[in-house]
Amino acid sequence: MTLNPADAAFRSRLSADLPDEVFRPVEARYLEEPRGRYAGAQALLAQPRTTGEVATLIRHAGEAGVGVIPYGGGTGLVGGQIASEGTAPLILSLERMNKVRDVFPDENVLIAEAGVILADVQAAADAADRLFPLSLAAEGTARIGGNLATNAGGTGVLRYGNARDLCLGLEAVLPDGQIWNGLTRLRKNNTGYDLRHLLIGAEGTLGVITAAALKLFPKPARSGTALLVVDSPRAALDLLSLARAQLGEMVSAFELMHRQGFEFLTETGLDVRLPFDTAPEWCVLIDVGLSGDLNPEAALEALFVAANEAGIVPDGIVAQNETQAAAFWKVREMLPEANRRIGSVSSHDVSVPLSAIPEFIRKGGDAIAGIGEFRINCFGHVGDGNLHYNVFPTPGKSRADHENQRPAIKAAIHDLIHEMGGSISAEHGIGRLKVEDLEHYGDPAKLSAMRAIKAALDPKGIMNPGAVLRA
Amino acid sequence: MTLNPADAAFRSRLSADLPDEVFRPVEARYLEEPRGRYAGAQALLAQPRTTGEVATLIRHAGEAGVGVIPYGGGTGLVGGQIASEGTAPLILSLERMNKVRDVFPDENVLIAEAGVILADVQAAADAADRLFPLSLAAEGTARIGGNLATNAGGTGVLRYGNARDLCLGLEAVLPDGQIWNGLTRLRKNNTGYDLRHLLIGAEGTLGVITAAALKLFPKPARSGTALLVVDSPRAALDLLSLARAQLGEMVSAFELMHRQGFEFLTETGLDVRLPFDTAPEWCVLIDVGLSGDLNPEAALEALFVAANEAGIVPDGIVAQNETQAAAFWKVREMLPEANRRIGSVSSHDVSVPLSAIPEFIRKGGDAIAGIGEFRINCFGHVGDGNLHYNVFPTPGKSRADHENQRPAIKAAIHDLIHEMGGSISAEHGIGRLKVEDLEHYGDPAKLSAMRAIKAALDPKGIMNPGAVLRA
C-alpha cells in the first residue's frame, strides 16, 4: 500500500475541522526510542484532547491515505512507536488525554484515558485504597494506552496477569474513524466478538485506544519480600512450587537474578548491592501480599525453612521492614540500567513453558559459547516463564566488536526458543524490530488470519504501518 | 450468502478423504436444545477423531459452500448449536475428540481436546492435585470446546474469571481449513493479534476449537461456605465489599438468592430447603477457599460477626462441615430446575455494573408490574454483576397465558439494562436467540468491525451460519 505524506496540504485539510492548538512542533523525543535503534524523520504531530478529535484525525488520515503512528509514553523497546521508513506520518500523541475519568472503588474499576501515565493510574487506585497491579520499569513515563496496545507485562503478571487481563472495556477509534464505545465496567458480557482483546496487543495497527476501564484489586493487607539463594534454575522452579503450595495465589512476584547482573551493577558503578557477602550464582526475589491477619514475615520464614530443609535454598534473607524490601527490589530494578551501561550485543525477551526453563538456560549457554566468548545476563519473571536473556561482550570489548556475530546469536536463541515451544517476544511485542522474526517463526494459519483481519479493518493500511505486519 | 445442502453428493465427496466411521446417523439429541425453542431438521453428522479430520471436513464444506454447525455438549441456552432454518448443514460433533492430552502440574497447565466433558477436565485437574475452576450447572454434559466457544461463566468467575481467562492457548481449524497450532503453555506471548480471544466467545462462527491449553490453580488448602441473610441487594453489595476487605481474592463464590426461588422449590416438589425457619427475602451463598493455615469456619464467623455488627446481616449460618456446605449449594443448584418446572414467561441473563444492581432490581420490578401480574425470580452471580432475572406466571397461570406479553417484558428489561450500561447476554452468549437484540443494542462500530472480521475470515459464511451475526 502506498501512503501519502502528512504534508502541508494534509495539514490544511485538517485545519478545516480542528483548531491549531491540536498541532505542535515535532520535538526530537517523538523521533527517538530508548534503545536508539530507530529514528523517525519528518512527521506531523497532533495532540488531540478528546476522543472526537482523535476520530477526526483518523478519518482525515484515512481519506488522505496518510499513515498514523499512535504515540503513548514512547517507552516501547521494539520500535513500534517510530516510523523510520517511508513517507512522513501523522504522529498521534495521546498525552493530553490524561484524565482519570472515574473511580468506582466498590466495583474495583477505574476509567482512565489512554494518555494517563501508568504511575498515575497506580496512584489513583491507591488513593481509593485499591491496587492497580500493572508494574514495570518504565511506569513513570509509559502511558496506559500504550501499555494496553502492547499488552505490557512486568513484575505483577504471576498473580494478576498481563495488561490484557486487567482491562474490562475499551473506548477506541477504529481505522475508519468510527468511535467504538466499549467502555464497559462489566465482568461478564458475552455479546459478540471480543474487540477489546483484538485491539490489546495489536500495537496500534487496528485502531487507537482512547480510554480503558481497568480492573482494580483489594490491596493485600500486608506484604513481604524475601531474597532466597537457589543452586540452579531448577531449584528456583521447585521453590516456586513450594511457595504456591504454601501460599496459593498470594505469591505476587517471583524474579530470578544471576550473578552476572550483580557484577554488572558493580562494574558500571551503580551503587546498589546484595545483602550477601559473596554474590550467589542464582537467587530469587519473592514478594507475597497476604490477606486477613496473615503475617508476611512469618509466612516467608516458614517458606525459607521448608525450602532449606528440602535442600532447595541454602541461604536467604527475609526483609524485616519496608526499607529492606525496597533495597532488595532496587537491585532488581537497576539491572536493566546496568545492562544498558555495559551495552548488550544481543537482547532477547523470551518465554518458554515453565518446566523448560532449566533446559533453555543450559542449551542457550552452550549455543552462545559455540559462537564466541560472551557474558550472559539471564534474569526475569521466572514465575511466568519469561526471561530477559541478554548477551554481552567480555570486559575490554564492546558491542561494536561483535556486530557481525549478532545475527548468529539472535538466530541461535530464537531457534532454540521456537524448538522448545516458546515465544520470541514474551512481553515487549513485535513493533518494527521483530516483523521478520514473526514471519519466520509465526504459525502460518495465524499469520494469514492476522493479515486478513488487518486488511478487513484497515484496508488502506494507515494504522501504524509497518508495525507487527509488513506494510 | 446462499449455502448448499449437506446432501448425498457432498457426502460422497467427503468419502474420498474420510472413512465411513467418521459419519453417524443424526440422533434426535443433535436437533434439540435444552429450552426447546429451536429444532433442527435434516443434517449430516460427522464425529471426527482428529484435528486433521476436522480440517478435512471444514475444507470440503468450504469448497462445497456447505454450512458447518460445531457441536459440543449441546447444553447452550441460546440456540447456537441448532440450525433451525436454511439448508441442511454438516453437524460437526467434537465428542470423539475427548482426550486429556497432557497435564503439567508444575506449570499449572492441562491440555484437553475440545470434546472433553467439563467435569472430566475438573477431575483430571483434581487427580493432579490442582483446581480447574470453571464450574456451572451443565458441567456433567457440556464439553470444554463449547465452554470456550461461548466463553462460559458460572460460579467461579468472581475469583478465577470466565472461560477465556482460563485459557492459555488454542488449537483450531479456521474457516479456510487451515489448522492453527496455537496450543501454547506460555503465560506471556506478545507475538501478534490474539486469535485465541477472538475465537473464544465467537460461538463457532470464526472456526472450530479442537483443543485448548487450560490454566490450573493450586487447590485452596481449605474451603468454607456460609449462607448469610441480607435485607436487600444493597446490603449484599456491602457484604461483598466487607468480605473482600477481610479475605481479598479468597472469596470464591458470592451468589444472591431470592425467596421466590425457595418458594418455587417447594411448589415444584423439589426436596431441598433452606436451613431457616422462615425463608428470608434475600440471602447470599458465599464460598471461600483459603491458603496456608487459615481456618475457613473462623474466617466466615468473623465475617458474619462484622457484617452483623455493621447492620448488614441479621441472620446466617456458617457450614460446619462439607455435608452442610453441599446442602447449602444444593439449594442454589436446584433453582434452575425449579424455574424450568414453573415455566418462565421470559428469562434474562443480564449484567450491570456492580453498583447498579439495586437500582436495576427496583426499576426492573416496577417495569414488570406495569405490564401485568407476574412472579420474579432474580438470582445469580451477584459478585460479577450477573443476574438471572426470570419472569414467571402467578399460580394457576402458565407460560402460554402470557405469550403476547413476552415481547414487552423482554424489551422492558433489555431497554433498562442497556440504559444502565449493562449487557443483554452476560454469560450465555448470542447464539441464534439474541441476534436481533445484538443488532438493536450493540455498538454500531463494534458490529461493523465484527461483520468485517467475519467476512475476512469466513468469506463464504460457512461457519455456524446465522449464529451471532445474521447469515
Side-chain angles (χ1 to χ4, degrees):
Chain A
M1 225 83 64
T2 310
L3 293 169
N4 297 314
D7 56 12
F10 178 62
R11 172 72 178 81
S12 73
R13 287 170 66 170
L14 292 173
S15 292
D17 288 324
L18 292 162
D20 279 351
E21 57 258 41
V22 166
F23 302 93
R24 295 275 172 89
V26 186
E27 291 167 44
R29 65 188 171 100
Y30 295 103
L31 305 171
E32 299 163 353
E33 45 86 31
R35 290 188 175 164
R37 291 189 193 150
Y38 294 87
Q42 279 190 301
L44 174 65
L45 173 67
Q47 294 179 347
R49 300 155 301 178
T50 64
T51 306
E53 287 182 351
V54 174
T56 302
L57 287 160
I58 301 276
R59 184 167 50 74
H60 274 288
E63 284 165 11
V66 166
V68 177
I69 312 290
Y71 197 92
T75 60
L77 295 171
V78 287
Q81 70 278 52
I82 306 290
S84 56
E85 293 167 7
T87 43
L90 172 68
I91 297 175
L92 197 159
S93 169
L94 280 300
E95 69 204 88
R96 284 158 94 180
M97 291 186 64
N98 61 358
K99 281 182 288 298
V100 171
R101 288 191 192 161
D102 231 326
V103 186
F104 302 89
D106 285 348
E107 297 183 13
N108 282 309
V109 177
L110 180 152
I111 313 277
E113 292 184 340
V116 181
I117 288 173
L118 173 52
D120 294 338
V121 177
Q122 295 166 347
D126 191 66
D129 197 30
R130 293 292 181 275
L131 174 72
F132 182 64
L134 187 67
S135 178
L136 39 85
E139 64 197 22
T141 312
R143 296 174 192 270
I144 191 68
N147 293 143
L148 289 166
T150 59
N151 186 30
T155 55
V157 174
L158 182 66
R159 179 168 185 169
Y160 298 103
N162 294 284
R164 73 165 68 256
D165 301 308
L166 306 175
C167 177
L168 293 170
L170 289 179
E171 176 192 270
V173 178
L174 301 182
D176 62 2
Q178 282 195 82
I179 296 169
W180 169 42
N181 291 301
L183 213 49
T184 163
R185 285 139 57 199
L186 304 173
R187 304 273 161 174
K188 281 184 172 174
N189 181 19
N190 278 344
T191 51
Y193 307 161
D194 200 320
L195 279 198
R196 165 189 53 154
H197 281 302
L198 189 60
L199 292 182
I200 294 174
E203 306 184 30
T205 63
L206 299 177
V208 180
I209 294 168
T210 53
L214 302 169
K215 280 190 206 172
L216 305 181
F217 292 82
K219 279 188 195 169
R222 294 178 61 191
S223 299
T225 302
L227 197 57
L228 302 180
V229 175
V230 291
D231 286 334
S232 64
R234 177 70 252 170
L237 293 181
D238 291 342
L239 177 62
L240 178 62
S241 285
L242 190 63
R244 280 178 160 159
Q246 292 195 355
L247 294 160
E249 298 122 303
M250 296 188 288
V251 182
S252 306
F254 197 89
E255 300 282 307
L256 183 70
M257 299 187 283
H258 186 257
R259 182 166 54 211
Q260 189 61 71
F262 311 136
E263 290 175 5
F264 282 177
L265 289 169
T266 309
E267 190 173 327
T268 59
L270 288 165
D271 187 28
V272 286
R273 59 195 64 254
L274 277 190
F276 299 111
D277 292 338
T278 313
E281 184 178 4
W282 294 103
C283 67
V284 166
L285 182 62
I286 178 169
D287 251 24
V288 296
L290 306 189
S291 307
D293 301 328
L294 290 171
N295 178 316
E297 288 77 28
L300 286 167
E301 286 292 351
L303 174 66
F304 181 14
V305 168
N308 185 266
E309 282 170 5
I312 301 168
V313 168
D315 196 4
I317 304 177
V318 175
Q320 295 305 309
N321 50 53
E322 283 185 23
T323 311
Q324 207 176 3
F328 293 179
W329 270 100
K330 187 80 179 169
V331 173
R332 169 65 184 84
E333 283 159 4
M334 293 305 282
L335 289 179
E337 177 58 22
N339 286 344
R340 247 188 304 274
R341 293 187 184 187
I342 298 284
S344 78
V345 178
S346 189
S347 303
H348 311 270
D349 162 43
V350 295
S351 64
V352 285
L354 211 58
S355 54
I357 286 176
E359 184 188 349
F360 166 71
I361 291 177
R362 185 168 41 77
K363 288 189 173 171
D366 291 351
I368 301 302
I371 295 170
E373 208 185 337
F374 297 98
R375 294 186 290 178
I376 295 167
N377 188 13
C378 170
F379 66 105
H381 321 297
V382 72
D384 312 316
N386 177 198
L387 296 171
H388 298 302
Y389 191 92
N390 298 348
V391 179
F392 295 87
T394 49
K397 297 257 188 181
S398 80
R399 173 182 168 85
D401 297 322
H402 297 285
E403 283 296 333
N404 59 336
Q405 288 163 307
R406 186 177 309 129
I409 293 173
K410 203 182 84 167
I413 295 303
H414 284 178
D415 285 354
L416 180 59
I417 283 291
H418 184 65
E419 246 168 57
M420 299 180 74
S423 172
I424 57 150
S425 189
E427 58 176 11
H428 297 163
I430 299 299
R432 291 176 171 79
L433 183 65
K434 295 187 178 177
V435 171
E436 280 181 42
D437 294 321
L438 180 60
E439 288 174 351
H440 184 68
Y441 296 106
D443 179 86
K446 174 177 167 172
L447 280 166
S448 80
M450 283 174 57
R451 290 188 188 109
I453 292 165
K454 171 73 175 175
L457 297 183
D458 183 16
K460 290 191 175 176
I462 60 164
M463 290 308 309
N464 212 0
V468 185
L469 293 169
R470 197 178 287 270
Chain B
M1 224 84 63
T2 309
L3 293 169
N4 297 314
D7 56 12
F10 178 62
R11 173 71 178 80
S12 73
R13 287 171 67 171
L14 293 173
S15 291
D17 288 325
L18 291 163
D20 279 350
E21 58 258 41
V22 167
F23 302 93
R24 295 274 171 90
V26 186
E27 292 167 43
R29 64 187 172 101
Y30 295 102
L31 305 171
E32 298 163 354
E33 47 86 30
R35 290 189 176 165
R37 292 191 192 149
Y38 295 87
Q42 278 191 302
L44 174 66
L45 173 67
Q47 294 178 348
R49 299 154 303 178
T50 65
T51 305
E53 288 182 350
V54 174
T56 302
L57 287 160
I58 301 276
R59 185 168 49 76
H60 274 287
E63 284 165 12
V66 166
V68 178
I69 313 289
Y71 197 91
T75 60
L77 295 172
V78 289
Q81 71 277 50
I82 306 290
S84 55
E85 293 167 8
T87 44
L90 173 68
I91 297 176
L92 198 159
S93 169
L94 281 300
E95 69 203 88
R96 285 159 93 183
M97 292 188 64
N98 60 358
K99 283 184 287 299
V100 172
R101 288 191 192 160
D102 232 326
V103 185
F104 302 89
D106 286 349
E107 296 183 11
N108 282 312
V109 177
L110 180 154
I111 313 277
E113 292 183 341
V116 181
I117 287 174
L118 173 53
D120 294 339
V121 178
Q122 295 166 348
D126 191 65
D129 197 29
R130 293 292 182 274
L131 174 72
F132 182 64
L134 188 67
S135 178
L136 39 86
E139 64 197 23
T141 313
R143 296 173 191 272
I144 190 67
N147 293 144
L148 289 166
T150 58
N151 186 29
T155 55
V157 174
L158 183 67
R159 179 168 186 170
Y160 298 102
N162 294 284
R164 71 166 69 254
D165 302 307
L166 304 175
C167 177
L168 293 170
L170 289 180
E171 176 191 270
V173 178
L174 301 182
D176 62 1
Q178 282 196 83
I179 296 169
W180 169 43
N181 291 300
L183 213 49
T184 164
R185 284 140 56 200
L186 305 173
R187 303 274 161 174
K188 282 184 173 176
N189 180 20
N190 278 343
T191 52
Y193 307 161
D194 201 319
L195 280 198
R196 166 188 52 152
H197 280 301
L198 189 59
L199 292 182
I200 295 174
E203 305 184 30
T205 63
L206 299 177
V208 180
I209 293 168
T210 53
L214 301 169
K215 281 190 205 171
L216 305 181
F217 292 82
K219 280 189 196 169
R222 294 178 62 190
S223 299
T225 302
L227 196 56
L228 302 181
V229 175
V230 290
D231 287 333
S232 65
R234 177 71 251 169
L237 294 181
D238 291 342
L239 177 62
L240 178 63
S241 285
L242 189 62
R244 281 178 159 159
Q246 291 195 355
L247 294 160
E249 296 121 305
M250 295 188 288
V251 182
S252 306
F254 197 90
E255 298 283 309
L256 183 69
M257 298 186 284
H258 185 257
R259 184 165 50 208
Q260 188 63 71
F262 311 136
E263 290 175 4
F264 282 176
L265 289 169
T266 308
E267 188 172 329
T268 60
L270 288 165
D271 187 29
V272 286
R273 59 194 65 253
L274 276 189
F276 298 113
D277 293 337
T278 312
E281 184 177 7
W282 295 102
C283 67
V284 166
L285 182 61
I286 177 168
D287 250 25
V288 296
L290 307 188
S291 307
D293 302 328
L294 290 172
N295 179 316
E297 288 77 30
L300 286 167
E301 286 290 351
L303 175 65
F304 181 14
V305 168
N308 185 265
E309 281 170 5
I312 300 169
V313 169
D315 196 5
I317 304 177
V318 175
Q320 294 305 310
N321 51 53
E322 282 185 24
T323 310
Q324 206 176 5
F328 292 179
W329 270 100
K330 187 78 178 170
V331 174
R332 169 66 182 85
E333 283 159 5
M334 292 307 280
L335 290 179
E337 177 56 23
N339 287 343
R340 248 188 304 275
R341 293 187 183 187
I342 298 284
S344 78
V345 178
S346 189
S347 302
H348 311 270
D349 162 43
V350 296
S351 64
V352 287
L354 212 57
S355 54
I357 285 176
E359 185 187 347
F360 166 71
I361 291 177
R362 185 167 42 76
K363 288 189 174 172
D366 291 349
I368 301 302
I371 294 169
E373 207 185 338
F374 297 97
R375 294 185 291 177
I376 295 166
N377 188 13
C378 169
F379 67 105
H381 322 297
V382 72
D384 312 316
N386 176 195
L387 296 172
H388 298 303
Y389 191 91
N390 298 348
V391 180
F392 296 86
T394 48
K397 298 254 186 180
S398 80
R399 174 182 166 84
D401 298 322
H402 298 286
E403 282 298 331
N404 60 336
Q405 288 163 308
R406 185 177 310 127
I409 294 173
K410 204 182 84 168
I413 296 302
H414 284 178
D415 285 354
L416 180 59
I417 283 290
H418 184 65
E419 244 169 59
M420 298 180 75
S423 172
I424 55 151
S425 190
E427 57 177 11
H428 297 163
I430 298 298
R432 291 177 171 79
L433 183 66
K434 295 188 180 175
V435 171
E436 279 181 43
D437 293 320
L438 180 59
E439 288 174 350
H440 183 69
Y441 296 107
D443 179 86
K446 174 177 167 173
L447 279 167
S448 81
M450 283 174 59
R451 291 189 187 108
I453 291 166
K454 172 72 176 175
L457 296 184
D458 183 16
K460 290 191 176 176
I462 60 164
M463 291 308 309
N464 212 0
V468 184
L469 293 169
R470 196 178 288 269

